[in-house]
Amino acid sequence: MPAKERILIIGACGQIGVELTLALRKIYEPQHVIAADLRDEHPLLKDTGPYVTLDVMNREMLHVLVIRHHITQIYHLAAILSATAEKNPALAWHINMQSLIHVLEIAREERLHKVYWPSSIAVFGRGAPRQRTPQHTILEPTTAYGISKLAGERWCEYYHERYGIDVRSLRYPGLISYKSSPGGGTTDYAIEMFQAAVENRKYCCPLAPDTHLPMMYMPDAIRATIELMEAPAHRISLHSSYNIHAFQFSPAELAKALQHHAPGFEVCYQPDFRQQIAESWPESIDDSQARADWGWKPAFDLQTMTSDMLANLRAHQHQA
Ligand code: NAD
Ligand code: AKB
């Protein structure tokens, strides 16, 4: 019953948050979808619904906000992503974990209807098969970010089993988008490569040419998130986090796809610390449980995503 729900999106000005907020404001009464972030309001969110400045690390501030706005669902997107986390692992652990505990505790105290919290392919590490990585396999992440995501998944399941909280989660792959900038991930290179191709600049990639990673176009990720959250409870068998997959590519394959549209586009390779992160992650993901449980199916493949990204980036370039 959308009319009765009041939704809080924490981290609403980030790469996912902007598009998710806009999508939820199309489904629900925009006044009932509260966007919150540490940063100033993103320009694309202006005049589309309520915006509040929030530091999710401040539990009291979060609690007051939830009570004041009669919040029934939280989407908690604020986090430190993989590349940034490796620069300050202890801070990343603190922010990623403590913020989730704040959200789960308030969900318990205020009996929220649902919580959404994203996990990542970063939960996989040594020992997991790298092709079609299964839902249930060895989970031994070697990055600070991956360790925080794995612990987060365990907490989500714990709060579901112990307190009955309807927590739902997806293990996103690298997300590709043009509306809002990415925030410090290892997979951000793909978006940077698109931008360079459109601006006729040479791009120096921080990953080696043959490093395959699972990726997804943002419209699919937003649709997956909303479909998961709107699915009836009996269709949700996992309250840790679901594998989802769309396509995979390497920097060399993306460069080739871009050169098809932008002949003469040049790429050089200078792998840095992000190479080690990428090598610890899967190359492709088995998402059969998400497909069976709540009907997940991606709409975009590498070719259709590439054409759509380029068309939108070029349209933005002409408007600027
Ligand atoms: P992002 O870095 O673009 O956005 C995060 C937002 O959280 C930022 O706007 C930031 O200002 C805000 N934030 C940070 N600390 C905060 C605090 N203390 N209080 C309030 N807001 C705060 O990240 P994103 O790419 O949008 O990712 C969102 C979530 O999805 C994260 O949990 C991330 O781990 C996960 N995820 C993202 C991807 C991806 O490719 N983008 C892939 C897998 C998982
Ligand atoms: C990152 O690269 O950190 C994210 C992710 C896959 O979790 N895009």
Side-chain angles (χ1 to χ4, degrees):
M1 295 286 274
K4 288 187 185 147
E5 299 292 340
R6 284 185 167 65
I7 299 175
L8 175 64
I9 301 161
I10 304 168
C13 295
Q15 190 197 358
I16 300 172
V18 169
E19 298 204 35
L20 186 60
T21 303
L22 294 173
L24 287 169
R25 284 179 177 162
K26 285 193 180 142
I27 299 172
Y28 293 89
E29 171 63 49
Q31 286 307 314
H32 294 170
V33 179
I34 320 295
D37 202 294
L38 267 183
R39 311 191 213 177
D40 288 343
E41 186 176 19
H42 191 283
L44 289 177
L45 295 183
K46 283 211 190 302
D47 303 322
T48 67
Y51 182 75
V52 287
T53 304
L54 169 76
D55 181 354
V56 67
M57 300 304 283
N58 185 333
R59 190 188 191 284
E60 283 67 41
M61 197 176 166
L62 175 63
H63 204 161
V64 167
L65 187 63
V66 166
I67 293 169
R68 184 176 295 156
H69 289 273
H70 308 287
I71 297 298
T72 60
Q73 298 186 14
I74 295 181
Y75 288 71
H76 173 34
L77 306 176
I80 306 292
L81 276 79
S82 59
T84 311
E86 285 314 297
K87 294 179 187 157
N88 196 339
L91 180 70
W93 170 260
H94 178 60
I95 292 177
N96 292 359
M97 284 297 87
Q98 201 54 53
S99 65
L100 176 61
I101 295 293
H102 286 169
V103 168
L104 292 172
E105 273 296 289
I106 290 169
R108 179 179 68 80
E109 286 174 30
E110 300 305 326
R111 298 173 184 277
L112 298 192
H113 299 170
K114 282 179 202 164
V115 171
Y116 179 77
W117 172 83
S119 185
S120 161
I121 53 159
V123 293
F124 301 110
R126 278 191 211 112
R130 295 191 68 209
Q131 307 294 339
R132 288 189 54 79
T133 307
Q135 177 71 47
H136 299 287
T137 183
I138 294 168
L139 295 173
E140 293 183 354
T142 51
T143 62
Y145 175 68
I147 294 169
S148 75
K149 288 297 184 191
L150 177 56
E153 288 189 7
R154 298 292 87 223
W155 279 117
C156 288
E157 194 173 81
Y158 180 90
Y159 271 75
H160 173 70
E161 286 184 3
R162 175 133 190 219
Y163 303 115
I165 295 173
D166 189 354
V167 193
R168 303 185 183 191
S169 175
L170 297 173
R171 289 172 175 160
Y172 293 128
L175 300 182
I176 297 174
S177 67
Y178 58 88
K179 290 190 184 166
S180 45
S181 307
T186 304
T187 58
D188 296 4
Y189 90 83
I191 299 171
E192 292 162 6
M193 199 187 280
F194 268 101
Q195 283 162 343
V198 167
E199 291 163 17
N200 293 318
R201 286 187 282 112
K202 180 174 175 177
Y203 180 66
C204 259
C205 182
L207 299 185
D210 57 349
T211 314
H212 287 83
L213 285 169
M215 300 276 186
M216 184 178 288
Y217 197 28
M218 190 62 88
D220 270 342
I222 299 298
R223 187 171 53 77
T225 307
I226 293 174
E227 283 177 8
L228 173 75
M229 286 295 274
E230 300 289 320
H234 71 268
R235 303 277 307 265
I236 306 299
S237 66
L238 276 177
H239 290 273
S240 50
S241 195
Y242 278 98
N243 279 6
I244 50 165
H245 187 66
F247 45 83
Q248 75 268 23
F249 57 75
S250 66
E253 286 167 352
L254 180 60
K256 199 170 160 204
L258 289 171
Q259 279 153 354
H260 180 73
H261 297 266
F265 173 52
E266 274 185 80
V267 179
C268 65
Y269 297 93
Q270 289 177 347
D272 63 17
F273 71 100
R274 286 170 276 190
Q275 181 64 28
Q276 215 178 343
I277 300 177
E279 280 174 11
S280 76
W281 290 353
E283 296 192 351
S284 63
I285 299 288
D286 176 355
D287 58 2
S288 43
Q289 194 157 351
R291 287 174 185 255
D293 280 9
W294 45 276
W296 159 244
K297 195 167 182 268
F300 286 88
D301 60 18
L302 175 58
Q303 284 69 35
T304 50
M305 177 277 292
T306 303
S307 305
D308 201 68
M309 268 292 280
L310 287 172
N312 280 292
L313 285 173
R314 284 179 177 143
H316 278 239
Q317 201 180 30
H318 290 308
Q319 280 161 15

